[in-house]
Amino acid sequence: MRLGRNTKEILIKNMFLGVAALSILIILFIFIFLFKEAFPAFREMGLSLFTSDWSASQGKFGINAAVFGSVAVTGIAMLIAVPLGIGGAIFLSEISPPRLRVFLKPVIELLAGIPSIVYGFIGVTVFVPYLAKTFDMLSGYSLLTGGIILGIMALPTIVSISDDALKAVPREIKEASLALGASKWETIKLVTFPSAISGVTAGCIMGIGRAIGETMAVMLVVGSVMRIPSPSFDVFETGSTITALIAGQMGEAWGMHTSVLFATAVILFLIVALLSVASDLLQARVEKKFRGG
Amino acid sequence: MKLRKAILTIILMMVLVSGLALAETKIVRIKGSSTVLPIAESCAEAFMKKHSGIRVVVAGGGSSVGIKAVAMGEADIGTASREVKKSEIKTHKRCDFIDHKIALDGVAVIISKNIYDSGVKGLSIKQIRGIYKGEINNWKEVGGLDKEIFVNEREEGSGTRDTFMEAIGLERTLADKGNAHNSDVKQAVAGSDKAIGYVGLGYTGGSTPAISVDGVFPSKVTIKKGTYKIARSLHMYTNGRPAGAVEGFIEFVLGEEGQRIVEEEGFIRIK
């Protein structure tokens, strides 16, 4: 039997629709599953989840220390990755000679392809002893160490997306600025960068998303203790993150303990989803701005 | 049409073959403690060599996972590095937990090499409790160098942690670092010049020397005698009296060959 041209067309179209729908369905199922498993924790623990007292063996499940740790390491990571990443992107898109760029961009993007366990391994064997010695810390395992590793890991995301945003600024605008007598730096500072700001922001938010969801590397160096350092800005102390908590304790958790870990996963999921949507909206704005959409 | 026929034939053959395979081999499913995992795996291998009709499938996941698995019927044998808890018996009322003790294991306290060399060869239970409670913060308080103590523990849920905490009489600690595995503790202690931690007996020595506790050095002899206090037994749980292949496997583990494997894996035989 030979299919008509039209039938074939419709068939293929529906097939792709099906594939697209499947990926949405998978996300939906993950979300439903997470919520189902986390529900007992939300119901039983309620707001007591958001306290700072964690002792699973005594049935105390305050997850504040993990949330604090996640925010702290991500904050440190951004302090490192945002300036470096934006600087790198400006160099790549505006200053670097094309031949160097062709070489540099893939190399930077390759950073994103290094498995996180490798970053973690380097963290444990290089950063931990180095930081312990340099800052005379108790052990070198700390929120700071986690933040530094995450900062390096978030770099390629920020560089790559910011570079795309800067490249998307139309040449005419830059040329007009240069024609008016502005120097190259003034053009970057006052014309190119402000035009690309939403794209750059999108890149930074993606970087935050990557940092906050990262598990393996951070778990190896952060220390995994469910305690907020005192004073809380003492990032030289050990701590934990949401991801390190889940990965470290899921294997042997049981009952309410498991459910609480799922609840923290729901919180993480919501944070990352929000960040991802925000980043997408900003990137859409960049396209609209320059493509006259 | 040809293709369709070929596919149909293949599917039919697969169904037939798998049906035959299922009918012939019996499967014993084991799940649980990561401490018991090496024993279970080696025993399974040796057991399958002797009994070609039985397939033993071994999975990890942790003591709690093992107990839950046997209670829910997901596994024939649940392994655990601790005894089944009252709360677990209560939750799984329908499960008739039968305990098979298969080996003994000691939890050794290890410290950094240079602290050991500086003269700390042993601690009392009280001193260890003080260190983990955060009341003793410097090695000089227990006869060592003037260095702050870097306190390592295992993460919550670990059977090694439960054994240790019960032996020193603590419910919670003020440790500086939580570790997911024995090897992580060893690495953290080896990489530091002021650390303390606790691990299974097989992980001591070299750059992480074990110390005596209350004057007793952890060894096979002292653990078996019961004089070394931080010790535990390793368990296999079944739902009701085991029968058939499951019974055969547990008998194998408790028999001469199985107990030899227990020793080879660095644990202490029960018989």
Short mmCIF file of all heavy atoms in Angstrom, two decimals, chain B residues 104-160:
data_model
loop_
_atom_site.label_atom_id
_atom_site.label_comp_id
_atom_site.label_asym_id
_atom_site.label_seq_id
_atom_site.Cartn_x
_atom_site.Cartn_y
_atom_site.Cartn_z
N LEU B 104 30.44 -10.16 62.00
CA LEU B 104 30.65 -9.07 62.96
C LEU B 104 31.53 -8.01 62.31
O LEU B 104 32.36 -8.32 61.45
CB LEU B 104 31.34 -9.59 64.22
CG LEU B 104 30.55 -10.53 65.12
CD1 LEU B 104 31.47 -11.08 66.21
CD2 LEU B 104 29.38 -9.80 65.76
N ASP B 105 31.34 -6.77 62.72
CA ASP B 105 32.18 -5.70 62.20
C ASP B 105 32.43 -4.70 63.32
O ASP B 105 31.53 -4.39 64.09
CB ASP B 105 31.47 -5.02 61.02
CG ASP B 105 32.34 -3.95 60.38
OD1 ASP B 105 33.58 -4.07 60.46
OD2 ASP B 105 31.79 -3.00 59.80
N GLY B 106 33.65 -4.22 63.39
CA GLY B 106 33.96 -3.20 64.39
C GLY B 106 34.02 -1.84 63.72
O GLY B 106 34.33 -1.72 62.54
N VAL B 107 33.68 -0.80 64.48
CA VAL B 107 33.87 0.56 63.98
C VAL B 107 35.10 1.11 64.68
O VAL B 107 35.12 1.24 65.90
CB VAL B 107 32.64 1.43 64.27
CG1 VAL B 107 32.90 2.86 63.80
CG2 VAL B 107 31.41 0.86 63.58
N ALA B 108 36.14 1.40 63.89
CA ALA B 108 37.40 1.86 64.47
C ALA B 108 37.45 3.38 64.45
O ALA B 108 36.96 4.01 63.52
CB ALA B 108 38.57 1.29 63.68
N VAL B 109 38.04 3.95 65.49
CA VAL B 109 38.26 5.40 65.51
C VAL B 109 39.64 5.66 64.93
O VAL B 109 40.63 5.08 65.38
CB VAL B 109 38.16 5.94 66.95
CG1 VAL B 109 38.46 7.44 66.98
CG2 VAL B 109 36.79 5.65 67.54
N ILE B 110 39.70 6.50 63.90
CA ILE B 110 40.98 6.80 63.27
C ILE B 110 41.33 8.28 63.47
O ILE B 110 40.43 9.12 63.59
CB ILE B 110 40.98 6.46 61.76
CG1 ILE B 110 39.81 7.17 61.05
CG2 ILE B 110 40.91 4.98 61.54
CD1 ILE B 110 39.83 7.02 59.54
N ILE B 111 42.63 8.57 63.53
CA ILE B 111 43.07 9.97 63.67
C ILE B 111 44.22 10.23 62.70
O ILE B 111 44.82 9.31 62.17
CB ILE B 111 43.49 10.30 65.12
CG1 ILE B 111 44.67 9.44 65.54
CG2 ILE B 111 42.34 10.13 66.07
CD1 ILE B 111 45.21 9.80 66.92
N SER B 112 44.51 11.50 62.49
CA SER B 112 45.60 11.87 61.59
C SER B 112 46.93 11.30 62.10
O SER B 112 47.17 11.22 63.30
CB SER B 112 45.70 13.38 61.46
OG SER B 112 44.52 13.89 60.91
N LYS B 113 47.79 10.96 61.13
CA LYS B 113 49.04 10.27 61.46
C LYS B 113 49.90 11.07 62.44
O LYS B 113 50.44 10.52 63.40
CB LYS B 113 49.81 10.03 60.15
CG LYS B 113 51.06 9.19 60.29
CD LYS B 113 50.74 7.71 60.14
CE LYS B 113 51.97 6.83 60.02
NZ LYS B 113 52.89 6.87 61.14
N ASN B 114 50.02 12.39 62.22
CA ASN B 114 50.97 13.13 63.06
C ASN B 114 50.43 13.33 64.48
O ASN B 114 51.20 13.46 65.42
CB ASN B 114 51.34 14.48 62.42
CG ASN B 114 50.16 15.38 62.29
OD1 ASN B 114 49.09 14.93 61.88
ND2 ASN B 114 50.31 16.64 62.65
N ILE B 115 49.11 13.30 64.63
CA ILE B 115 48.55 13.36 65.98
C ILE B 115 48.85 12.04 66.71
O ILE B 115 49.25 12.01 67.87
CB ILE B 115 47.01 13.59 65.94
CG1 ILE B 115 46.67 14.91 65.24
CG2 ILE B 115 46.41 13.54 67.33
CD1 ILE B 115 47.06 16.14 66.00
N TYR B 116 48.70 10.94 65.95
CA TYR B 116 49.00 9.62 66.50
C TYR B 116 50.47 9.57 66.93
O TYR B 116 50.80 9.14 68.03
CB TYR B 116 48.72 8.56 65.44
CG TYR B 116 48.90 7.14 65.90
CD1 TYR B 116 47.89 6.49 66.62
CD2 TYR B 116 50.06 6.42 65.60
CE1 TYR B 116 48.04 5.18 67.03
CE2 TYR B 116 50.22 5.11 66.02
CZ TYR B 116 49.20 4.50 66.73
OH TYR B 116 49.36 3.21 67.15
N ASP B 117 51.34 10.06 66.04
CA ASP B 117 52.77 10.04 66.35
C ASP B 117 53.12 10.96 67.51
O ASP B 117 54.12 10.75 68.20
CB ASP B 117 53.58 10.45 65.11
CG ASP B 117 53.48 9.39 64.02
OD1 ASP B 117 53.15 8.24 64.36
OD2 ASP B 117 53.70 9.73 62.83
N SER B 118 52.30 11.99 67.73
CA SER B 118 52.59 12.91 68.82
C SER B 118 52.17 12.34 70.17
O SER B 118 52.36 12.98 71.20
CB SER B 118 51.91 14.25 68.59
OG SER B 118 50.55 14.19 68.96
N GLY B 119 51.58 11.16 70.16
CA GLY B 119 51.34 10.51 71.44
C GLY B 119 49.91 10.11 71.75
O GLY B 119 49.63 9.51 72.77
N VAL B 120 48.96 10.45 70.88
CA VAL B 120 47.58 10.03 71.14
C VAL B 120 47.39 8.63 70.55
O VAL B 120 47.18 8.46 69.36
CB VAL B 120 46.57 11.01 70.50
CG1 VAL B 120 45.14 10.62 70.88
CG2 VAL B 120 46.85 12.43 70.96
N LYS B 121 47.50 7.60 71.39
CA LYS B 121 47.36 6.23 70.90
C LYS B 121 46.00 5.65 71.29
O LYS B 121 45.65 4.56 70.84
CB LYS B 121 48.45 5.33 71.49
CG LYS B 121 49.84 5.91 71.40
CD LYS B 121 50.46 5.67 70.04
CE LYS B 121 51.90 6.13 70.05
NZ LYS B 121 52.42 6.47 68.73
N GLY B 122 45.31 6.37 72.15
CA GLY B 122 44.01 5.86 72.56
C GLY B 122 43.19 6.96 73.22
O GLY B 122 43.73 7.97 73.68
N LEU B 123 41.87 6.77 73.22
CA LEU B 123 40.97 7.72 73.87
C LEU B 123 39.94 6.92 74.65
O LEU B 123 39.67 5.76 74.34
CB LEU B 123 40.26 8.60 72.84
CG LEU B 123 41.09 9.61 72.05
CD1 LEU B 123 40.25 10.18 70.91
CD2 LEU B 123 41.59 10.73 72.94
N SER B 124 39.37 7.55 75.67
CA SER B 124 38.27 6.88 76.37
C SER B 124 36.96 7.23 75.66
O SER B 124 36.89 8.20 74.91
CB SER B 124 38.22 7.35 77.82
OG SER B 124 37.84 8.70 77.85
N ILE B 125 35.95 6.41 75.91
CA ILE B 125 34.63 6.68 75.33
C ILE B 125 34.20 8.10 75.72
O ILE B 125 33.64 8.84 74.90
CB ILE B 125 33.59 5.66 75.88
CG1 ILE B 125 33.87 4.27 75.30
CG2 ILE B 125 32.17 6.11 75.59
CD1 ILE B 125 33.12 3.90 74.05
N LYS B 126 34.51 8.48 76.98
CA LYS B 126 34.10 9.80 77.47
C LYS B 126 34.79 10.91 76.67
O LYS B 126 34.16 11.91 76.32
CB LYS B 126 34.48 9.90 78.96
CG LYS B 126 33.59 10.85 79.72
CD LYS B 126 33.92 10.81 81.21
CE LYS B 126 33.71 12.20 81.78
NZ LYS B 126 34.52 12.44 82.98
N GLN B 127 36.08 10.71 76.40
CA GLN B 127 36.80 11.72 75.62
C GLN B 127 36.23 11.81 74.19
O GLN B 127 36.05 12.90 73.65
CB GLN B 127 38.30 11.37 75.56
CG GLN B 127 39.03 11.70 76.84
CD GLN B 127 40.45 11.16 76.83
OE1 GLN B 127 40.71 10.07 76.30
NE2 GLN B 127 41.38 11.91 77.41
N ILE B 128 35.95 10.65 73.60
CA ILE B 128 35.40 10.65 72.24
C ILE B 128 34.06 11.37 72.23
O ILE B 128 33.76 12.18 71.35
CB ILE B 128 35.25 9.20 71.72
CG1 ILE B 128 36.62 8.54 71.62
CG2 ILE B 128 34.56 9.19 70.37
CD1 ILE B 128 36.57 7.07 71.28
N ARG B 129 33.24 11.10 73.27
CA ARG B 129 31.95 11.77 73.36
C ARG B 129 32.16 13.28 73.45
O ARG B 129 31.47 14.05 72.78
CB ARG B 129 31.16 11.26 74.56
CG ARG B 129 29.71 11.72 74.56
CD ARG B 129 28.99 11.39 75.87
NE ARG B 129 29.13 9.99 76.20
CZ ARG B 129 29.47 9.53 77.41
NH1 ARG B 129 29.69 10.37 78.40
NH2 ARG B 129 29.58 8.24 77.63
N GLY B 130 33.12 13.69 74.27
CA GLY B 130 33.40 15.11 74.42
C GLY B 130 33.80 15.76 73.10
O GLY B 130 33.37 16.86 72.77
N ILE B 131 34.61 15.05 72.33
CA ILE B 131 35.07 15.58 71.04
C ILE B 131 33.88 15.73 70.08
O ILE B 131 33.71 16.77 69.44
CB ILE B 131 36.14 14.65 70.42
CG1 ILE B 131 37.44 14.75 71.22
CG2 ILE B 131 36.38 15.00 68.96
CD1 ILE B 131 38.50 13.73 70.85
N TYR B 132 33.03 14.70 70.01
CA TYR B 132 31.90 14.76 69.07
C TYR B 132 30.80 15.69 69.54
O TYR B 132 29.99 16.15 68.75
CB TYR B 132 31.36 13.34 68.78
CG TYR B 132 32.16 12.68 67.69
CD1 TYR B 132 33.33 11.99 68.00
CD2 TYR B 132 31.80 12.81 66.35
CE1 TYR B 132 34.11 11.43 67.00
CE2 TYR B 132 32.58 12.25 65.35
CZ TYR B 132 33.72 11.57 65.68
OH TYR B 132 34.50 11.03 64.68
N LYS B 133 30.79 15.99 70.84
CA LYS B 133 29.81 16.94 71.36
C LYS B 133 30.29 18.38 71.20
O LYS B 133 29.54 19.31 71.39
CB LYS B 133 29.60 16.68 72.86
CG LYS B 133 28.25 16.10 73.21
CD LYS B 133 28.22 15.82 74.69
CE LYS B 133 26.89 16.20 75.30
NZ LYS B 133 26.86 15.80 76.71
N GLY B 134 31.57 18.53 70.89
CA GLY B 134 32.12 19.88 70.75
C GLY B 134 32.63 20.45 72.05
O GLY B 134 32.91 21.64 72.15
N GLU B 135 32.75 19.60 73.09
CA GLU B 135 33.26 20.09 74.39
C GLU B 135 34.79 20.06 74.45
O GLU B 135 35.40 20.86 75.12
CB GLU B 135 32.68 19.26 75.53
CG GLU B 135 31.20 19.53 75.77
CD GLU B 135 30.54 18.49 76.65
OE1 GLU B 135 31.24 17.54 77.10
OE2 GLU B 135 29.33 18.61 76.87
N ILE B 136 35.36 19.11 73.73
CA ILE B 136 36.83 19.07 73.62
C ILE B 136 37.18 19.52 72.21
O ILE B 136 36.75 18.91 71.23
CB ILE B 136 37.36 17.64 73.88
CG1 ILE B 136 37.00 17.19 75.29
CG2 ILE B 136 38.87 17.59 73.65
CD1 ILE B 136 37.36 15.75 75.59
N ASN B 137 37.90 20.63 72.11
CA ASN B 137 38.15 21.22 70.80
C ASN B 137 39.61 21.20 70.36
O ASN B 137 39.92 21.55 69.24
CB ASN B 137 37.67 22.68 70.76
CG ASN B 137 36.17 22.76 70.89
OD1 ASN B 137 35.46 22.08 70.18
ND2 ASN B 137 35.69 23.56 71.83
N ASN B 138 40.49 20.82 71.28
CA ASN B 138 41.92 20.89 70.95
C ASN B 138 42.59 19.59 71.34
O ASN B 138 42.31 19.01 72.39
CB ASN B 138 42.56 22.07 71.68
CG ASN B 138 43.89 22.44 71.06
OD1 ASN B 138 44.78 21.61 70.92
ND2 ASN B 138 44.01 23.70 70.67
N TRP B 139 43.52 19.14 70.45
CA TRP B 139 44.19 17.87 70.71
C TRP B 139 45.01 17.89 71.99
O TRP B 139 45.27 16.86 72.59
CB TRP B 139 45.08 17.49 69.52
CG TRP B 139 44.31 16.91 68.38
CD1 TRP B 139 44.08 17.49 67.16
CD2 TRP B 139 43.65 15.64 68.34
NE1 TRP B 139 43.32 16.65 66.37
CE2 TRP B 139 43.04 15.51 67.08
CE3 TRP B 139 43.52 14.59 69.26
CZ2 TRP B 139 42.31 14.39 66.70
CZ3 TRP B 139 42.79 13.47 68.89
CH2 TRP B 139 42.19 13.38 67.63
N LYS B 140 45.44 19.11 72.43
CA LYS B 140 46.27 19.13 73.63
C LYS B 140 45.47 18.74 74.88
O LYS B 140 46.02 18.28 75.86
CB LYS B 140 46.96 20.49 73.80
CG LYS B 140 46.05 21.60 74.25
CD LYS B 140 46.83 22.88 74.43
CE LYS B 140 45.85 24.00 74.78
NZ LYS B 140 46.35 25.31 74.55
N GLU B 141 44.13 18.87 74.79
CA GLU B 141 43.29 18.47 75.93
C GLU B 141 43.29 16.97 76.15
O GLU B 141 42.90 16.48 77.21
CB GLU B 141 41.85 18.95 75.71
CG GLU B 141 41.69 20.47 75.79
CD GLU B 141 40.30 20.92 75.38
OE1 GLU B 141 39.32 20.50 76.03
OE2 GLU B 141 40.20 21.68 74.40
N VAL B 142 43.67 16.20 75.10
CA VAL B 142 43.72 14.74 75.26
C VAL B 142 45.14 14.23 75.07
O VAL B 142 45.36 13.07 74.73
CB VAL B 142 42.76 14.03 74.29
CG1 VAL B 142 41.32 14.32 74.68
CG2 VAL B 142 43.02 14.45 72.84
N GLY B 143 46.11 15.12 75.26
CA GLY B 143 47.50 14.68 75.25
C GLY B 143 48.21 14.77 73.92
O GLY B 143 49.25 14.15 73.73
N GLY B 144 47.68 15.55 72.98
CA GLY B 144 48.33 15.66 71.68
C GLY B 144 48.90 17.04 71.44
O GLY B 144 49.17 17.80 72.38
N LEU B 145 49.09 17.38 70.16
CA LEU B 145 49.63 18.68 69.78
C LEU B 145 48.61 19.78 70.05
O LEU B 145 47.42 19.52 70.24
CB LEU B 145 49.97 18.69 68.29
CG LEU B 145 50.99 17.66 67.80
CD1 LEU B 145 50.97 17.59 66.29
CD2 LEU B 145 52.38 18.05 68.29
N ASP B 146 49.10 21.02 70.05
CA ASP B 146 48.19 22.15 70.21
C ASP B 146 47.54 22.47 68.86
O ASP B 146 47.93 23.39 68.16
CB ASP B 146 48.97 23.37 70.74
CG ASP B 146 48.06 24.57 70.94
OD1 ASP B 146 46.82 24.39 70.90
OD2 ASP B 146 48.59 25.68 71.13
N LYS B 147 46.56 21.66 68.49
CA LYS B 147 45.84 21.86 67.23
C LYS B 147 44.36 21.66 67.46
O LYS B 147 43.96 20.79 68.23
CB LYS B 147 46.32 20.84 66.18
CG LYS B 147 47.57 21.29 65.43
CD LYS B 147 47.83 20.30 64.32
CE LYS B 147 49.14 20.48 63.69
NZ LYS B 147 49.67 21.32 62.88
N GLU B 148 43.56 22.47 66.77
CA GLU B 148 42.12 22.30 66.84
C GLU B 148 41.76 20.92 66.28
O GLU B 148 42.49 20.38 65.45
CB GLU B 148 41.47 23.38 65.95
CG GLU B 148 40.26 24.06 66.57
CD GLU B 148 39.67 25.07 65.59
OE1 GLU B 148 40.45 25.85 65.01
OE2 GLU B 148 38.46 25.05 65.42
N ILE B 149 40.63 20.35 66.71
CA ILE B 149 40.26 19.02 66.22
C ILE B 149 39.26 19.15 65.07
O ILE B 149 38.25 19.83 65.18
CB ILE B 149 39.63 18.17 67.35
CG1 ILE B 149 40.58 18.10 68.54
CG2 ILE B 149 39.32 16.76 66.84
CD1 ILE B 149 40.03 17.31 69.72
N PHE B 150 39.58 18.48 63.96
CA PHE B 150 38.69 18.44 62.79
C PHE B 150 37.87 17.15 62.88
O PHE B 150 38.38 16.07 62.66
CB PHE B 150 39.54 18.51 61.51
CG PHE B 150 38.79 18.25 60.24
CD1 PHE B 150 37.49 18.72 60.06
CD2 PHE B 150 39.40 17.56 59.20
CE1 PHE B 150 36.81 18.48 58.88
CE2 PHE B 150 38.73 17.33 58.01
CZ PHE B 150 37.43 17.78 57.86
N VAL B 151 36.60 17.30 63.24
CA VAL B 151 35.77 16.15 63.60
C VAL B 151 34.96 15.65 62.40
O VAL B 151 34.17 16.39 61.82
CB VAL B 151 34.80 16.50 64.75
CG1 VAL B 151 34.02 15.27 65.17
CG2 VAL B 151 35.56 17.08 65.93
N ASN B 152 35.19 14.39 62.02
CA ASN B 152 34.48 13.78 60.90
C ASN B 152 33.45 12.77 61.38
O ASN B 152 33.71 11.99 62.29
CB ASN B 152 35.47 13.05 59.99
CG ASN B 152 36.16 14.00 59.06
OD1 ASN B 152 35.64 14.34 58.00
ND2 ASN B 152 37.33 14.48 59.47
N GLU B 153 32.29 12.77 60.71
CA GLU B 153 31.29 11.76 61.04
C GLU B 153 30.71 11.22 59.74
O GLU B 153 31.02 11.71 58.66
CB GLU B 153 30.18 12.37 61.90
CG GLU B 153 29.36 13.40 61.14
CD GLU B 153 28.18 13.93 61.94
OE1 GLU B 153 27.94 13.44 63.03
OE2 GLU B 153 27.52 14.85 61.43
N ARG B 154 29.86 10.18 59.86
CA ARG B 154 29.12 9.68 58.71
C ARG B 154 27.77 10.37 58.68
O ARG B 154 27.27 10.82 59.70
CB ARG B 154 28.94 8.16 58.81
CG ARG B 154 30.23 7.38 58.57
CD ARG B 154 30.65 7.40 57.11
NE ARG B 154 29.59 6.92 56.24
CZ ARG B 154 29.35 5.63 56.00
NH1 ARG B 154 30.08 4.72 56.55
NH2 ARG B 154 28.36 5.26 55.19
N GLU B 155 27.18 10.46 57.50
CA GLU B 155 25.89 11.13 57.39
C GLU B 155 24.78 10.31 58.02
O GLU B 155 24.90 9.10 58.19
CB GLU B 155 25.58 11.41 55.92
CG GLU B 155 26.49 12.50 55.39
CD GLU B 155 25.84 13.30 54.28
OE1 GLU B 155 24.75 13.83 54.49
OE2 GLU B 155 26.44 13.39 53.20
N GLU B 156 23.69 10.99 58.34
CA GLU B 156 22.58 10.33 59.01
C GLU B 156 21.99 9.23 58.14
O GLU B 156 21.89 9.36 56.94
CB GLU B 156 21.50 11.36 59.36
CG GLU B 156 22.03 12.38 60.34
CD GLU B 156 20.92 12.94 61.21
OE1 GLU B 156 20.15 12.14 61.76
OE2 GLU B 156 20.85 14.16 61.33
N GLY B 157 21.60 8.14 58.83
CA GLY B 157 21.06 7.00 58.11
C GLY B 157 22.09 5.89 57.98
O GLY B 157 21.74 4.74 57.79
N SER B 158 23.37 6.24 58.09
CA SER B 158 24.42 5.23 57.94
C SER B 158 24.43 4.27 59.13
O SER B 158 24.33 4.69 60.28
CB SER B 158 25.77 5.93 57.82
OG SER B 158 26.77 5.24 58.52
N GLY B 159 24.55 2.97 58.84
CA GLY B 159 24.58 1.98 59.91
C GLY B 159 25.83 2.11 60.76
O GLY B 159 25.80 1.90 61.98
N THR B 160 26.96 2.49 60.12
CA THR B 160 28.20 2.71 60.85
C THR B 160 28.00 3.83 61.87
O THR B 160 28.44 3.76 63.01
CB THR B 160 29.32 3.11 59.87
OG1 THR B 160 29.34 2.18 58.80
CG2 THR B 160 30.67 3.12 60.56
#
